[in-house]
């Protein structure tokens, strides 16, 4: 119980840090390890790297590495991206279950509130310190990830429209862990028990992440390229959101799959084909738009968590 005793010399901030120092050191170790891997990718990992085929940054949709470090390069970038994508879920489960949910379930939080620490101040410290650590850590990793992209921009591993890469290459990767933090807080205050809180936090995060993925293509105006029947489908560099055929009236319809059958094309009144999507230049506008949406959701969930706290704990009002 000594860790829960507050004094002017230690204070709430120091107590929170001491209670969760293992998690903090694990986070520091993870950031340091990922930073080291990316420094290798920027330096030695790229020095012996070649690219199969003729690839131009932001133009080729599929360019693979070749050379003695190609396998290690692909494994390293994949590992960094996968683990970084898993951070929001890990944060939601940890905050919802092991931090807030467990303290509410065991009565540790109530004991803290009896020692001149208000419930609102308690929750603020529990959220503000992890938010600071997460923002600094992910910010550093994303800055390094962009440096990796700049060193070998033509590779599929470094193209934002490759599967699963968008969330790990820009400011969205900094905002998503904060979303996990807010989901954890809300889940804990809804249930006040560790296991149900962790489950609710994880499910809420996954649902919101899915909705954000569906919203993403509509955050910025798409670009369309068209081709005549003779040209067929024109190449589109970037994230493809739709394609099909164009009729004589200019309407867009599903491709009837006539290929080179002129009679079929005439029968369906097909005069050309189109592809639409987001070119490489849309990366940062889409990143900033989605980051804003995520932060707005974080604000709403955090407000809901504090509202629940004030509603269920009379001393918090």
């Amino acid at each position: 119980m000594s860790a829960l005793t507050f004094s002017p010399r230690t204070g709430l901030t120091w107590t929170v840090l001491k209670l969760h120092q293992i998690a903090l050191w694990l986070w520091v170790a993870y950031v340091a390890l990922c930073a080291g891997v990316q420094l290798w990718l920027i330096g030695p990992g790229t020095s012996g790297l070649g690219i199969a085929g003729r690839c131009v940054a932001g133009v080729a949709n599929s360019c693979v590495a070749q050379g003695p470090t190609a396998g290690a390069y692909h494994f390293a970038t994949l590992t960094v991206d996968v683990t970084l994508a898993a951070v929001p879920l890990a944060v939601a489960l940890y905050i919802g279950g092991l931090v807030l949910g467990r303290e509410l379930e065991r009565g540790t939080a109530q004991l803290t509130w009896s020692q001149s620490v208000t419930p609102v101040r308690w929750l603020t410290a529990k959220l503000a310190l992890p938010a600071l650590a997460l923002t600094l850590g992910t910010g550093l990793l994303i800055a390094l990830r962009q440096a990796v992209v700049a060193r070998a921009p033509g590779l599929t591993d470094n193209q934002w429209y490759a599967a699963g890469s968008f969330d790990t290459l820009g400011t969205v990767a900094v905002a998503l862990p904060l979303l996990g933090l807010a989901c954890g807080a809300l889940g804990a205050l809804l249930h006040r028990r560790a296991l149900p809180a962790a489950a609710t936090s994880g499910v809420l995060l996954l649902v919101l992440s899915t909705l954000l993925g569906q919203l993403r293509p509509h955050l910025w105006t798409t670009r369309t390229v068209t081709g005549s029947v003779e040209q067929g489908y024109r190449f589109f560099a970037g994230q493809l959101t739709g394609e099909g055929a164009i009729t004589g009236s200019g309407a867009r319809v599903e491709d009837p799959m006539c290929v080179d059958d002129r009679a079929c094309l005439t029968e369906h009144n097909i005069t050309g084909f189109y592809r639409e999507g987001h070119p490489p230049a849309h990366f940062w506008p889409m990143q900033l738009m989605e980051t804003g949406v995520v932060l707005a959701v974080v604000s709403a969930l955090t407000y809901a968590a504090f509202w629940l706290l004030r509603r269920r704990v009379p001393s918090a009002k």
Side-chain angles (χ1 to χ4, degrees):
M1 294 294 182
S2 60
L4 296 172
T5 302
F6 301 99
S7 69
R9 186 177 64 85
T10 58
L12 180 59
T13 300
W14 173 253
T15 302
V16 172
L17 287 173
K18 190 171 183 179
L19 282 172
H20 305 291
Q21 58 183 323
I22 295 178
L24 177 62
W25 282 116
L26 286 174
W27 173 245
V28 171
Y30 165 75
V31 172
L33 180 61
C34 280
V37 170
Q38 294 192 92
L39 288 173
W40 178 84
L41 288 169
I42 296 169
T46 308
S47 60
L49 199 65
I51 301 178
R54 185 178 181 181
C55 303
V56 180
V59 174
N61 276 328
S62 181
C63 300
V64 295
Q66 62 181 2
T69 60
Y73 187 96
H74 174 70
F75 178 77
T77 54
L78 180 63
T79 300
V80 169
D81 287 349
V82 168
T83 56
L84 193 56
V87 167
L89 181 58
V91 170
L93 297 178
Y94 177 73
I95 294 296
L98 295 179
V99 178
L100 300 180
R102 185 172 63 178
E103 290 196 16
L104 290 167
E105 182 177 12
R106 293 182 175 180
T108 309
Q110 291 82 345
L111 178 61
T112 303
W113 302 340
S114 68
Q115 299 184 32
S116 301
V117 176
T118 65
V120 170
R121 187 180 167 213
W122 166 82
L123 183 58
T124 300
K126 290 290 184 179
L127 297 181
L129 294 175
L132 178 61
L134 289 168
T135 301
L136 292 176
T138 52
L140 172 62
L141 294 180
I142 293 309
L144 290 173
R145 191 67 181 89
Q146 282 297 313
V148 172
V149 172
R151 285 281 286 161
L155 290 178
T156 302
D157 293 324
N158 294 327
Q159 292 176 346
W160 64 268
Y161 39 84
S165 296
F166 187 85
D167 288 342
T168 61
L169 292 177
T171 53
V172 172
V174 180
L176 285 178
L178 300 181
L179 180 61
L181 188 68
C183 288
L186 185 58
L189 288 164
L190 280 172
H191 296 286
R192 291 183 287 183
R193 289 190 299 154
L195 288 179
T200 299
S201 303
V203 170
L204 180 59
L205 177 66
L206 293 176
V207 169
L208 290 174
S209 298
T210 301
L211 292 176
L212 285 170
Q214 295 177 346
L215 176 66
R216 181 176 303 149
H218 309 289
L219 292 175
W220 204 253
T221 305
T222 57
R223 185 174 297 174
T224 303
V225 294
T226 60
S228 64
V229 170
E230 291 75 16
Q231 292 174 317
Y233 284 105
R234 293 182 59 188
F235 176 77
F236 186 91
Q239 183 186 52
L240 192 65
T241 60
E243 62 181 1
I246 303 174
T247 65
S249 64
R252 297 181 181 182
V253 298
E254 186 178 350
D255 189 351
M257 304 303 292
C258 296
V259 192
D260 296 327
D261 188 340
R262 287 287 180 174
C264 176
L265 292 170
T266 302
E267 179 184 352
H268 290 88
N269 192 26
I270 302 301
T271 59
F273 300 92
Y274 76 92
R275 276 179 171 162
E276 66 178 359
H278 297 285
H282 286 190
F283 172 71
W284 282 113
M286 292 175 65
Q287 278 279 331
L288 295 176
M289 288 291 291
E290 185 166 337
T291 300
V293 172
V294 173
L295 292 179
V297 176
V298 169
S299 300
L301 293 179
T302 304
Y303 176 84
F306 277 97
W307 179 84
L308 271 177
L309 181 67
R310 292 188 177 95
R311 181 179 177 87
R312 294 185 173 182
V313 183
S315 60
K317 295 181 180 180

